[in-house]
Structure formats: structure tokens, C-alpha cells
Amino acid sequence: MKAWLLDEPGLEHLHLGEIERPEPEAGELLIRVEAVALNPVDYKVGSNGNPNWSYPHILGVDLVGEVVKVGSSIANIITGARVAVHTDLTKYGGFAEYTVVDARACAVVPETVSDEAAASILCAGMTAYEAIMQKLNTRDKETILIHAGAGGVGGFAIQLAKRLGLKVFTTASPENFDWVESLGADVMIDYNVEDVTERIMEETHGRGVDLILNTVGRDVATADLDRLAYSGHLAHIAGPPDLSNMKGFTLSPSIHEVALGAAHASGNEHAIRNLSYMAEELLALLEAGELQDLVTDVLPFEQLKEGLEQLETRKVRGKLIVRVRN
């Protein structure tokens, strides 16, 4: 089969080649891959490598495809089913014509949802879902700050937060203001020139926001402590805030780590099946027309590496999808 092969850490070592098609073991499905979503985690782990890999390795954590072979001990998914899955990054991924996946993490794709749309909601959408719907306590809350609203996680998080009736503040570049506003953002902040903390305090009359989803990094998450209302909740996906300079018994924040891929590493049955549950919930919203898929470009399989390089610039709006089979 054709696959994008990583001979050693570093995207410069990624090339399109041929490799033997895998076979599913107990609890696994062999998937003929139709479409994959490109994510920051793909180029990050591709650049740094992973001690669990043998080379050449196949990247790609998000995929949609058709089940062509079912391993033993599987009763709920049959050959011919179209599934979407966020995979275990320590194993072969989806940047190939075929791959094997853990059946427990798979969600069946509704007939009316395209391969591209289904692929888009996996890593980014599920991360947003876990943060907004499962981690942050949104009950009786009014406001949320979502960083990088034009990105995949941010774009899905804006939509989910608006479904809960929250007032959404988001950081973005001015050229993306119309985009994030169309997704439901109420207040856009140009993080390039504006003082985000000052703007948040001005908009909330000095109170701060009830909830924050930080998708940027630890330094920004630390700065978020000054933007958080008393007893507020901060969820982070790129590093926790530094609490060493925060006086105890003052802000009383709740800090949440969102680490989608850690579900596979945990070995926890419930956590792995929760990946399937979150994907099913998001697919149902797509099917009902209640969620925008954020797909902004679809590339052919031969241009996958170019897509990763484009994503690495961190200037991509929405989701880049690669069509594996024409």
C-alpha cells in the first residue's frame, strides 16, 4: 500500500512510499482510509519522534474510512461500515491507504455526513468537546474566553459554548474576526496589539470571565489567571499555568488538563470508549446541521506533506483535510 513514511524524526524525512498492508489483531479493525485531518500534533510528534515507534513510522491521528476486515472479539462494527476514529499516536496512523485501529474508539459515520466533515471533528472537535462539555463546569456560568478562535479547537469550542448560552470572548487576528463571529463569538480581541487582560476586565467590568479554554501555551495560561473570575475554571491543552506566584485562598481557581490522546495511553476502558462517545455526539450535531465542520481546504494525498508544512506556520484557519482516495 502507499503511505507517507517517516524514516526518522523530522518532517524532512517524511516521504511517500510503499509498505506492507497491516492485518488487524483481536479488538482491531482494518480500515481503507478515505480522508484524514491534519493536526498540530501530527507535525509536532513527527518532528520530535516517540520512543514507542519503530521506523519507518506512519503518522496521522485522525481518519475516516471503510472497515474492510474485522479482528476477533468485535461484535458491534461490521465489514463495510464507515467509521471515524482518533487513533493512538504510538501506533501506525492514518497517513496511508490502509491502517488498523482500536475498535473501541471508533464511531460510525452517519450517511449524510461526508468523509471530510467527519474527519474534521475528531482531534480538534473532540478536544473542544472534552473541555467544554466534560471538564469545565458550565452550570450557571455566563462568560468564557476561548483562545485562538480561528483554529480547529477554538472554532469548535466557540460553537459548543454558544449552544450552552455562554457569552464568548475569543482572541484572533483581525482578518479572522468575521470568521469567528460567524461561528458565534461575541467579542473579538486582537491579541497582536491589544492587552488581552485589560480588554477582558473592561468588558466584564473588572470581574473577569467565568471560564477559559487555553490552546496556546503555559505562559498565556499563567496570564489567564489574571483574566479569571473568582472560582473560575481554566482548561488547558498546551501546558498548565504557573501557580507559584498566586497567593492561596484568593482566586480559588479550578485547573483542568485536556489531553485527548492520553486516553489511549491510559489503558482505561472507559476513557477509550469515551473517544467513540464524543465522536458520535459531534457527528450527530453535524448530521442535524447544528455544527459547522470548519473544513477550509481539501488536499490530494500527494500534497499531505505540504499541508503539514502549511499547518506548521500556525496561520491556517479551520481544518485542513487530505483526501486519501479519489
Side-chain angles (χ1 to χ4, degrees):
M1 68 175 185
K2 290 182 179 179
W4 281 93
L5 304 175
L6 186 71
D7 292 329
E8 59 182 282
L11 290 186
E12 66 273 20
H13 303 296
L14 184 66
H15 64 95
L16 188 59
E18 296 274 347
I19 195 170
E20 186 177 351
R21 193 178 86 171
E23 287 294 320
E25 298 181 355
E28 293 182 333
L29 304 170
L30 175 64
I31 306 296
R32 183 175 63 200
V33 183
E34 299 289 344
V36 296
L38 302 185
N39 297 287
V41 68
D42 295 318
Y43 69 73
K44 289 177 182 178
V45 297
S47 297
N48 299 323
N50 185 289
N52 293 298
W53 294 350
S54 58
Y55 293 92
H57 181 72
I58 301 173
L59 298 168
V61 295
D62 287 349
L63 65 98
V64 173
E66 181 181 333
V67 178
V68 295
K69 194 171 183 179
V70 177
S72 59
S73 305
I74 298 175
N76 62 325
I77 299 179
I78 62 174
T79 301
R82 191 164 57 111
V83 298
V85 58
H86 177 72
T87 67
D88 183 348
L89 64 78
T90 67
K91 300 179 180 179
Y92 275 2
F95 294 171
E97 292 180 313
Y98 293 86
T99 194
V100 293
V101 299
D102 188 332
R104 297 172 296 177
C106 291
V108 175
V109 180
E111 289 185 6
T112 58
V113 176
S114 71
D115 297 331
E116 293 82 1
S120 77
I121 58 90
L122 293 169
C123 186
M126 291 160 65
T127 296
Y129 188 96
E130 184 175 7
I132 302 293
M133 308 301 292
Q134 296 184 341
K135 292 279 188 172
L136 295 173
N137 177 11
T138 59
R139 183 176 180 180
D140 298 326
K141 302 300 190 299
E142 297 178 356
T143 55
I144 184 170
L145 168 61
I146 297 171
H147 286 280
V153 176
F156 285 118
I158 289 171
Q159 295 181 77
L160 293 172
K162 288 306 295 183
R163 285 178 56 81
L164 297 176
L166 294 167
K167 181 176 182 179
V168 176
F169 300 82
T170 191
T171 58
S173 297
E175 60 267 25
N176 290 321
F177 278 7
D178 288 345
W179 167 262
V180 295
E181 186 175 26
S182 73
L183 298 176
D186 298 290
V187 178
M188 287 73 72
I189 303 172
D190 181 358
Y191 66 94
N192 297 293
V193 298
E194 293 188 80
D195 184 313
V196 177
T197 302
E198 185 177 296
R199 182 74 186 280
I200 287 293
M201 288 304 174
E202 176 185 318
E203 294 282 347
T204 61
H205 307 289
R207 180 177 179 273
V209 289
D210 298 312
L211 309 166
I212 298 177
L213 173 55
N214 185 289
T215 62
V216 182
R218 183 169 186 174
D219 289 345
V220 177
T222 301
D224 280 336
L225 296 173
D226 293 328
R227 303 158 184 158
L228 200 60
Y230 174 77
S231 197
H233 290 240
L234 167 61
H236 63 86
I237 69 172
D242 181 359
L243 301 175
S244 60
N245 293 322
M246 190 186 75
K247 187 176 180 180
F249 301 99
T250 53
L251 184 61
S252 188
S254 294
I255 310 297
H256 306 271
E257 179 184 71
V258 181
L260 194 66
H264 289 288
S266 73
N268 182 286
E269 180 84 9
H270 175 78
I272 295 171
R273 293 191 181 279
N274 186 49
L275 296 174
S276 172
Y277 170 80
M278 291 189 291
E280 288 174 349
E281 290 290 293
L282 290 164
L283 289 168
L285 290 175
L286 283 179
E287 183 182 30
E290 298 178 16
L291 187 71
Q292 186 174 326
D293 60 43
L294 305 186
V295 176
T296 53
D297 201 3
V298 179
L299 305 174
F301 193 44
E302 293 73 19
Q303 292 181 19
L304 185 148
K305 185 176 181 180
E306 295 173 35
L308 287 178
E309 292 169 346
Q310 183 181 350
L311 194 65
E312 200 170 8
T313 67
R314 300 187 180 185
K315 296 181 180 180
V316 172
R317 175 192 293 178
K319 294 294 300 179
L320 285 180
I321 305 298
V322 171
R323 186 79 205 179
V324 177
R325 290 207 327 139
N326 292 326

